[in-house]
Amino acid sequence: MVAMALPAAAQETYQDTKLVQNELNGTARYVGMGGAMEALGADLSTISTNPAGIGLFRSSQVTVSGGLVAQQDATTNPSLNNNFGIHFKGDKTNASFDQGGFVYSMRTGYKNYLNFAFNYHKSRNFDQILTAGNKLNNASQNKLTAMKYPYLTDYNMNGVDACYSEILNPITDASGKQTGLDYLNGTEFLYGQYQKGYIGSYDFNISGNINDRVFLGLTFGIHDVHYHSNSLYSENLEKETSTDTYELLKITGTGYDLKAGVIFRPIEQSPFRIGFYVNTPVWYDLHEAGATDVSMFNSSNKLDKGHATDYDYKVYTPWKFGVSLGHTIDKMVALGATYEYADYSRIDNRINDGGGYDDWGYYYDNSSSDDAMNSNTKRVLKGVSTLKLGAEVKVMPQLAVRVGYNYVSPMFNKDGVRDGSIESPGSFYATSTDYTNWKSTNRWTCGVGYTIGKFFADLAYQYTQTNGEFYPFMSYYDIANSSNDNIADATKVNFKRNQVLLTLGYKF
């Protein structure tokens, strides 16, 4: 009830990262070429990166794309060698509607065109199963709460701490005043999480060209967030005791941004072209509903406590910049390369301060930056470079073959921590303690395309792999007494995904 009564709310660093990065998705041609089309253009998916790419269309077009996404090596029944295991529901393979849009192209001069376009694409697919298990070596989640207890404030006591504070036995001094909590050491843990949902991006574009050498474009984007997560964290403790910590989390909301770009041919007689683009932050207005439930039990007793939160907040993602190169050879070969950069340490977590009505009677929200959480974001996250390479070869006029590759540098500093003691509403509202420091991402793609008159079909395959280090909770170091240290070692995890994508299109 105290959590729900607070007027101010903000998010925390590790939850933000679910929203800020886009995946490689869109039309099958775009995916098959690794997305390296920001200078080549003439594909609807460039609307969300370099809007000038829409300016290269010379005819109108409509496309729709969908397929299957499957996670490799996923399990919903993780266990350790002693048969300590858990089970949770989760689908390893899911159908996905990934793109749908059109471009309307009209000639305005001998070499000039003015184009209008709309495109929907799934910029983020949250479907993921994550499991981890390891030894605890006397560390535990309940011990972390006990270690924090003497220093608790309204802001660094999260939902998990609130539950354990009611379950653990109190420690009192001679006068009867509570000075701490009695904890149990852990021996091992298991974790299972099923995430699902998506971010849908709706882009509206106007673009054109000047004498077929300079191409300009502007896109207004709306982003629709639907994130759901179910997780179970279990520990085996001393004294034949165990704990289960359940979390249910739902994030919904909308955001908007602007994207601007230019493509130009520096040599009039050459098809070689260079592209530049910039994307503003996505200004997100979000709502989170979270709940956690902690159970501690042995053969003769079970204690159970729950905690729930429900609040609104804002997150502003960083600016994004890109440069790209494109070249075609005899209309039979297309080559593309794109470099993109975004500094994710600049994410702006914002606190809702309330609102009011303007002179016209419209309600507006006031918000301010959460300086404490933003300082933590600068320590945990860093700038990310994305390199995209792609090629297309027409083995015959109607048949094209494509390959692509992406490298995305790590977003997380390797020593990043989900710090639950930060004096921020984001820490206070947290309903879990786990976090993963994901490393670099590698994507390999390939595809084929076939054209019959005004109809065309493209098929693409994408394999993505990201490795990471999972932690069930932040480590606590007691400088005065090292025997009180509560250190959680990293557990190696990975995320391997396979995608098959089909695009059907019509030119008119």
Side-chain angles (χ1 to χ4, degrees), residues 297-311:
F297 49 89
N298 54 32
S299 58
S300 59
N301 192 26
K302 179 178 180 180
L303 298 173
D304 183 272
K305 293 295 179 181
H307 183 85
T309 60
D310 196 308
Y311 62 96

Side-chain angles (χ1 to χ4, degrees), residues 136-425:
L136 281 172
N137 300 319
N138 293 327
S140 68
Q141 192 181 59
N142 76 94
K143 184 178 179 180
L144 177 62
T145 297
M147 297 299 99
K148 289 168 60 178
Y149 184 83
Y151 313 102
L152 289 180
T153 70
D154 285 342
Y155 287 106
N156 62 17
M157 181 177 180
N158 58 41
V160 176
D161 295 326
C163 293
Y164 275 122
S165 295
E166 297 188 48
I167 291 176
L168 299 178
N169 291 323
I171 298 175
T172 59
D173 58 19
S175 65
K177 179 182 177 181
Q178 184 174 351
T179 59
L181 295 167
D182 193 15
Y183 61 83
L184 294 175
N185 291 314
T187 58
E188 58 189 349
F189 78 86
L190 274 177
Y191 177 81
Q193 180 190 41
Y194 178 48
Q195 301 177 90
K196 59 181 179 178
Y198 64 93
I199 299 179
S201 296
Y202 304 81
D203 291 315
F204 303 83
N205 173 276
I206 181 171
S207 57
N209 74 87
I210 303 173
N211 294 325
D212 205 32
R213 288 193 63 185
V214 178
F215 306 86
L216 303 169
L218 183 67
T219 294
F220 171 71
I222 300 173
H223 306 264
D224 187 24
V225 178
H226 301 271
Y227 173 84
H228 304 264
S229 171
N230 299 276
S231 66
L232 169 61
Y233 173 70
S234 295
E235 291 181 338
N236 276 345
L237 308 173
E238 59 185 341
K239 299 181 181 179
E240 298 183 348
T241 302
S242 300
T243 60
D244 284 341
T245 303
Y246 296 90
E247 184 198 34
L248 300 176
L249 185 64
K250 181 179 180 181
I251 301 174
T252 57
T254 57
Y256 62 93
D257 67 347
L258 289 172
K259 313 169 188 75
V262 59
I263 298 171
F264 67 95
R265 293 191 297 116
I267 304 172
E268 184 174 4
Q269 295 78 21
S270 172
F272 174 73
R273 41 195 179 264
I274 304 172
F276 297 96
Y277 58 94
V278 58
N279 299 172
T280 70
V282 180
W283 294 285
Y284 277 120
D285 192 352
L286 301 165
H287 177 82
E288 179 172 312
T292 188
D293 184 271
V294 176
S295 298
M296 180 175 284
F297 49 89
N298 54 32
S299 58
S300 59
N301 192 26
K302 179 178 180 180
L303 298 173
D304 183 272
K305 293 295 179 181
H307 183 85
T309 60
D310 196 308
Y311 62 96
D312 298 312
Y313 63 100
K314 292 180 174 62
V315 172
Y316 297 165
T317 71
W319 289 78
K320 186 181 296 181
F321 305 90
V323 58
S324 52
L325 304 174
H327 188 57
T328 58
I329 303 173
D330 296 330
K331 297 184 179 180
M332 299 297 292
V333 178
L335 303 172
T338 297
Y339 173 77
E340 198 171 82
Y341 180 81
D343 185 359
Y344 290 103
S345 70
R346 308 295 298 180
I347 293 172
D348 187 11
N349 302 271
R350 301 187 66 82
I351 298 173
N352 283 346
D353 300 320
Y357 291 90
D358 61 21
D359 294 338
W360 300 94
Y362 292 102
Y363 182 81
Y364 61 90
D365 288 319
N366 288 324
S367 67
S368 59
S369 294
D370 183 352
D371 293 334
M373 188 58 68
N374 287 344
S375 294
N376 176 71
T377 299
K378 289 181 172 64
R379 292 190 296 268
V380 172
L381 305 182
K382 57 185 178 180
V384 171
S385 295
T386 300
L387 175 65
K388 300 191 286 188
L389 303 173
E392 177 185 70
V393 179
K394 289 188 176 181
V395 296
M396 61 179 65
Q398 297 82 18
L399 180 64
V401 178
R402 304 163 185 132
V403 294
Y405 170 74
N406 286 186
Y407 172 79
V408 184
S409 67
M411 177 192 299
F412 298 91
N413 287 307
K414 63 180 181 179
D415 56 351
V417 174
R418 185 181 183 184
D419 190 345
S421 63
I422 299 172
E423 292 189 7
S424 162

